[in-house]
Amino acid sequence: KNEVEQSPQNLTAQEGEFITINCSYSVGISALHWLQQHPGGGIVSLFMLSSGKKKHGRLIATINIQEKHSSLHITASHPRDSAVYICAVRPITGNQFYFGTGTSLTVIP
Amino acid sequence: NAGVTQTPKFQVLKTGQSMTLQCAQDMNHNSMYWYRQDPGMGLRLIYYSASEGTTDKGEVPNGYNVSRLNKREFSLRLESAAPSQTSVYFCASRYLLAEYFGPGTRLTVT
């Protein structure tokens, strides 16, 4: 049973396209994180959300707590955005994060 | 600040060998975590330490032991490595709701 589901699993886009990655979760949460992992690289936290919307450069993250759903948008995508994007949730109770399996994004020049 | 550091970055072991993965953070965080990442699966929690002197099992603790040596350091030990432990291992520390990850250790057990 996966507490966190991401879609799509893989995504290929042309440079400049608008990209959306979706995350659905099944537990009550205190926070949701979007993480970025480059090939062979470490994991970087992009956003932490508990409500509403956050924007950082070309990245926008939204969350709907009632629907248990979050989206990560990338505007004007660029090849350097190619990475795996991981959704993670912090449940209201307990110490453990739950992680999605990631969305592998490839942006072609 | 170096953040979260891990050593080694790569390691190859033979079945039955032992080794310790080291993790340190310089952010004065109380909570530290060890995860493994396998293809097609999300990160899975092996062990965590909510504070210095305490450790608890996560989702997949079998075959591993940990030591929270002090507030900075949290090590993961494989006493007798098995091919099923081939994975990428990430250490993380946490402050409030924010998680900070180390660069990872790629371990292969042959």
Side-chain angles (χ1 to χ4, degrees):
Chain A
K1 171 177 171 279
N2 289 334
E3 286 81 5
V4 181
E5 299 280 355
Q6 283 185 241
S7 63
Q9 277 191 301
N10 297 287
L11 182 56
T12 300
Q14 292 287 333
E15 183 173 355
E17 283 186 14
F18 181 83
I19 287 160
T20 296
I21 299 170
N22 295 299
C23 174
S24 295
Y25 53 91
S26 59
V27 295
I29 67 168
S30 54
L32 181 144
H33 294 249
W34 281 102
L35 311 170
Q36 183 191 56
Q37 184 175 28
H38 282 282
I43 298 171
V44 174
S45 179
L46 297 174
F47 293 103
M48 182 174 65
L49 293 161
S50 55
S51 64
K53 177 178 171 178
K54 285 191 176 180
K55 185 174 188 290
H56 184 241
R58 295 179 293 105
L59 302 178
I60 303 165
T62 63
I63 188 168
N64 185 319
I65 295 292
Q66 286 73 29
E67 294 186 4
K68 293 188 166 63
H69 181 268
S70 175
S71 293
L72 176 69
H73 305 287
I74 304 175
T75 62
S77 60
H78 190 277
R80 65 174 173 266
D81 297 326
S82 298
V84 174
Y85 293 84
I86 300 168
C87 174
V89 300
R90 170 79 186 271
I92 291 171
T93 58
N95 232 319
Q96 184 163 335
F97 272 71
Y98 294 117
F99 294 85
T101 55
T103 294
S104 179
L105 171 66
T106 302
V107 181
I108 300 169
Chain B
N1 286 351
V4 180
T5 57
Q6 289 182 237
T7 56
K9 288 195 173 171
F10 302 94
Q11 183 71 49
V12 178
L13 292 177
K14 292 189 188 321
T15 298
Q17 287 186 315
S18 62
M19 80 159 294
T20 300
L21 281 63
Q22 307 286 354
C23 173
Q25 51 93 10
D26 61 2
M27 296 173 283
N28 204 36
H29 293 166
N30 284 320
S31 301
M32 296 184 73
Y33 301 80
W34 275 106
Y35 297 97
R36 60 179 289 172
Q37 185 181 42
D38 300 295
M41 306 186 77
L43 286 154
R44 292 183 291 168
L45 182 64
I46 304 171
Y47 270 93
Y48 67 97
S49 170
S51 62
E52 185 179 352
T54 68
T55 60
D56 285 287
K57 294 178 181 179
E59 184 183 352
V60 289
N62 291 345
Y64 305 95
N65 284 303
V66 290
S67 295
R68 184 73 183 268
L69 305 167
N70 47 54
K71 194 169 187 180
R72 285 189 68 247
E73 298 170 289
F74 187 37
S75 62
L76 178 72
R77 182 157 179 86
L78 287 71
E79 290 290 352
S80 178
S84 61
Q85 293 177 305
T86 293
S87 188
V88 181
Y89 291 84
F90 287 94
C91 176
S93 69
R94 190 181 297 175
Y95 178 68
L96 298 179
L97 299 176
E99 191 108 333
Y100 301 83
F101 289 88
T105 295
R106 187 172 295 272
L107 175 67
T108 302
V109 183
T110 61

